[in-house]
């Protein structure tokens, strides 16, 4: 038997005899058909990669409903999950990222797809693109990472947001800002509704992030009132899930990494302070609903299920089947004592509430971190001090 290139199964070149050789035209037609089939397959799904081994199918939207969507910070933890959803829904997605905390591996499974583009770009510099919607997520979210270069963090939230608002104004795109519960600072109202103005230390170690996001919100509403830019503002509460940076330094990743390696679980303070944690899929649903709904005032997106840090550490240790000890270290400066989302607005205005329980989310996140620990051999979790994000692109 010969294949189409005239190559025999044992690898030797063969001469076609005129009776059995497929003619050139037929061979080309078959090759073209295969090529088209391959391209169609590539345009209908993600490619399995070590980081994202499962296949994500993409629907084919009619031109009229397919949007061109920019995701800044799309190679980061939240951004890459949002990209997965937008791609699966059949949109064209452009990711802008400077890879400060993001990783190419987070979006590598889309690089071949005709609806996807990845641009290495810093949002503190202007850029012109034709897009219909902008999800503006670019900004490090973990305290040790955003404190590593506080001036850059401020530039990212201020100049970066001005640049994206300028783009939105110019191309008439709707823009959603990933704001944060950190704008409430160390809240004196509990849980926090959007009407609460916050309690932020303007010169504290977290101010580069908190105040940066506060002024980013201010800029959003200035562009709305002055330039009619269509805006959406999501105040995101603590979020966790696969693709979190292993050196994120916050409790979810640290407790899991410490538990998986049977190392001491470190709690800063006495562990009686509380946090609420939402799974990343819930957040992505909320962001998409907010973007495509009509409500343009700030909306809290978080899971109100509240835990003391002590209970959370014990839960993670138990779920990992770990022998880790819990140890207590001095409290971190300006760390809020309580944080819990009031999600009345999200329920009423965008019909959103979380559906993934913390336990379900933790199971998936623990699986992800098992892979990260195995691949790295050992991971030494980041403490509360400012640190440059480690790890490959
Ligand atoms: N994860 C959370 O719990 C949480 C909570 C509240 C708000 N948020 C907000 O959500 C967004 C995404 O957070 P995340 O957890 O995915 O963080 P992340 O650090 O994983 O992602 C941020 C992404 O932005 C990129 N980036 C940073 N500075 C940039 C710049 N100047 N130009 C271009 N790209 C830049 C990073 O490389 C990274 O890919 C952030 O804006 C964050 O403030 C996150």
């Amino acid at each position: 038997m010969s294949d189409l290139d005239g190559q025999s199964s044992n690898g030797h070149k063969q001469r076609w005899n005129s009776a059995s050789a497929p003619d050139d035209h037929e061979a080309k037609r078959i090759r073209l058909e295969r090529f088209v089939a391959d391209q169609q397959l590539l345009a209908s799904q993600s490619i399995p990669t070590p980081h994202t081994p499962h296949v994500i199918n993409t629907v084919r939207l009619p031109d009229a409903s397919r949007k061109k969507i920019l995701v800044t910070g799309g190679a980061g933890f939240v951004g890459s999950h949002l990209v997965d959803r937008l791609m699966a829904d059949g949109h064209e997605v452009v990711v802008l990222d400077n890879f400060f905390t993001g990783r190419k591996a987070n979006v590598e499974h889309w690089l071949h797809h005709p609806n996807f583009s990845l641009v290495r770009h810093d949002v503190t510099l202007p850029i012109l693109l034709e897009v219909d919607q902008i999800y503006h997520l670019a900004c490090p979210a973990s305290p040790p990472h955003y404190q590593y270069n506080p001036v850059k963090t401020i530039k990212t939230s201020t100049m970066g947001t001005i640049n994206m608002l300028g783009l939105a104004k110019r191309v008439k795109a709707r823009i959603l800002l990933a704001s944060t519960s950190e704008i409430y600072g160390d809240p004196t109202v509990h849980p926090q509704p959007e009407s609460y103005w916050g309690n932020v230390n303007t010169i504290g170690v977290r101010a580069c992030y908190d105040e940066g996001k506060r002024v980013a919100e201010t800029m959003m509403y200035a562009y709305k009132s002055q330039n009619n830019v269509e805006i959406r503002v999501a105040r995101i509460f603590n979020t966790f899930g696969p693709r979190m940076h292993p050196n994120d330094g916050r409790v979810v990743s640290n407790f899991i990494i410490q538990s998986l390696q049977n190392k001491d679980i470190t709690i800063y303070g006495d562990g009686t302070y509380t946090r609420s944690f939402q799974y990343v899929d819930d957040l992505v649903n909320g962001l998409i609903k907010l973007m495509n709904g009509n409500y343009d005032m700030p909306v809290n997106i978080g899971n109100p299920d509240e835990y003391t840090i002590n209970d959370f550490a014990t839960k993670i240790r138990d779920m990992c089947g770990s022998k880790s000890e819990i140890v207590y270290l001095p409290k971190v400066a300006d760390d809020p004592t309580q944080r819990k989302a009031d999600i009345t607005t999200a329920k009423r205005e965008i019909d959103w509430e979380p559906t993934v329980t913390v336990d379900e989310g933790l199971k998936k996140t623990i699986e992800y971190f098992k892979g990260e620990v195995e691949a790295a051999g050992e991971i030494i979790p980041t403490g509360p001090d400012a640190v440059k994000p480690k790890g490959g692109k």
Side-chain angles (χ1 to χ4, degrees):
M1 273 292 280
S2 304
D3 72 14
L4 293 166
D5 295 324
Q7 197 86 4
S8 71
S9 53
N10 63 9
H12 296 302
K13 287 268 179 202
Q14 272 192 344
R15 281 181 72 106
W16 300 113
N17 70 42
S18 55
S20 62
D23 71 17
D24 261 11
H25 185 71
E26 179 62 1
K28 274 188 194 154
R29 191 190 63 76
I30 293 172
R31 272 205 296 273
L32 188 65
E33 263 180 13
R34 279 189 191 162
F35 176 77
V36 170
D38 286 349
Q39 294 306 307
Q40 279 170 348
L41 184 67
L42 289 175
S44 69
Q45 62 173 62
S46 66
I47 291 251
T49 62
H51 212 56
T52 308
H54 60 285
V55 166
I56 305 168
N57 292 313
T58 59
V59 301
R60 204 181 150 84
L61 280 181
D63 288 354
S65 33
R66 190 172 58 246
K67 292 194 168 61
K68 193 156 184 187
I69 302 177
L70 173 62
V71 182
T72 74
F77 158 52
V78 175
S80 62
H81 286 277
L82 176 63
V83 167
D84 284 354
R85 254 297 292 281
L86 298 173
M87 287 294 296
D89 289 350
H91 297 293
E92 279 180 53
V93 176
V94 182
V95 164
L96 285 193
D97 206 295
N98 70 353
F99 299 110
F100 175 56
T101 47
R103 296 189 280 179
K104 198 169 174 187
N106 287 343
V107 289
E108 207 162 22
H109 51 292
W110 292 121
L111 290 180
H112 67 284
H113 199 292
N115 284 357
F116 181 78
S117 326
L118 175 62
V119 184
R120 188 183 192 117
H121 178 82
D122 196 302
V123 292
T124 57
L125 301 168
I127 191 165
L128 182 58
L129 298 161
E130 285 296 333
V131 290
D132 304 307
Q133 292 185 338
I134 303 170
Y135 287 87
H136 179 38
L137 273 61
C139 185
S142 109
H145 292 163
Y146 68 62
Q147 286 166 21
Y148 171 71
N149 186 344
V151 172
K152 179 63 194 246
T153 302
I154 296 166
K155 284 184 184 170
T156 295
S157 275
T158 54
M159 293 158 68
T161 304
I162 283 273
N163 285 332
M164 289 307 124
L165 278 162
L167 175 63
K169 175 183 160 192
R170 186 157 172 183
V171 301
K172 298 196 168 25
R174 182 178 288 182
I175 177 169
L176 179 148
L177 170 71
S179 184
T180 168
S181 57
E182 295 277 325
I183 64 112
Y184 299 123
D186 190 359
T188 52
V189 170
H190 192 75
Q192 297 83 51
E194 291 84 354
S195 54
Y196 177 53
W197 288 358
N199 175 32
V200 174
N201 174 1
T202 57
I203 56 167
V205 284
R206 301 168 86 103
C208 59
Y209 182 74
D210 303 358
E211 295 291 2
K213 291 284 186 180
R214 284 172 72 96
V215 78
E217 286 198 7
T218 309
M219 291 189 292
M220 296 287 283
Y221 288 93
Y223 269 77
K224 177 194 162 190
S225 62
Q226 200 175 326
N227 301 111
N228 291 319
V229 173
E230 281 192 47
I231 58 152
R232 302 289 183 265
V233 173
R235 290 187 181 154
I236 302 170
F237 284 65
N238 268 335
T239 306
F240 70 97
R243 301 198 192 131
M244 287 183 89
H245 199 292
N247 298 108
D248 180 275
R250 282 174 290 178
V251 292
V252 177
S253 52
N254 276 16
F255 291 174
I256 295 177
I257 289 169
Q258 288 164 332
S259 297
L260 288 174
Q261 300 177 112
N262 291 312
K263 292 184 179 167
D264 288 349
I265 296 177
T266 46
I267 292 183
Y268 297 90
D270 64 6
T272 55
Y273 51 99
T274 65
R275 289 288 182 280
S276 52
F277 302 93
Q278 76 179 322
Y279 189 63
V280 65
D281 288 356
D282 279 331
L283 169 59
V284 166
N285 276 337
L287 294 178
I288 291 176
K289 281 194 162 189
L290 177 61
M291 174 65 105
N292 296 299
N294 295 322
Y295 190 72
D296 68 0
M297 293 306 286
V299 178
N300 287 340
I301 304 194
N303 188 335
D305 203 0
E306 191 178 17
Y307 291 87
T308 67
I309 293 298
N310 282 328
D311 288 348
F312 200 60
T314 314
K315 176 190 264 302
I316 289 181
R317 182 175 64 180
D318 293 348
M319 287 181 75
C320 291
S322 167
K323 302 187 199 74
S324 296
E325 298 280 321
I326 295 180
V327 298
Y328 294 89
L329 297 173
K331 191 175 184 298
V332 175
D334 290 342
D335 205 17
T337 44
Q338 277 183 317
R339 205 44 96 50
K340 174 174 163 171
D342 176 335
I343 56 166
T344 315
T345 307
K347 284 184 185 164
R348 187 187 63 232
E349 299 293 341
I350 60 169
D351 188 27
W352 176 88
E353 62 184 312
T355 58
V356 183
T357 63
V358 167
D359 281 45
E360 283 171 277
L362 279 177
K363 265 187 217 149
K364 294 184 187 170
T365 313
I366 290 168
E367 277 314 301
Y368 156 74
F369 275 116
K370 270 186 194 161
E372 292 290 299
V373 170
E374 260 170 44
E378 183 190 19
I379 300 179
I380 300 168
T382 303
D385 296 334
V387 69
K388 189 175 183 183
K390 290 186 207 132
K393 302 280 177 247

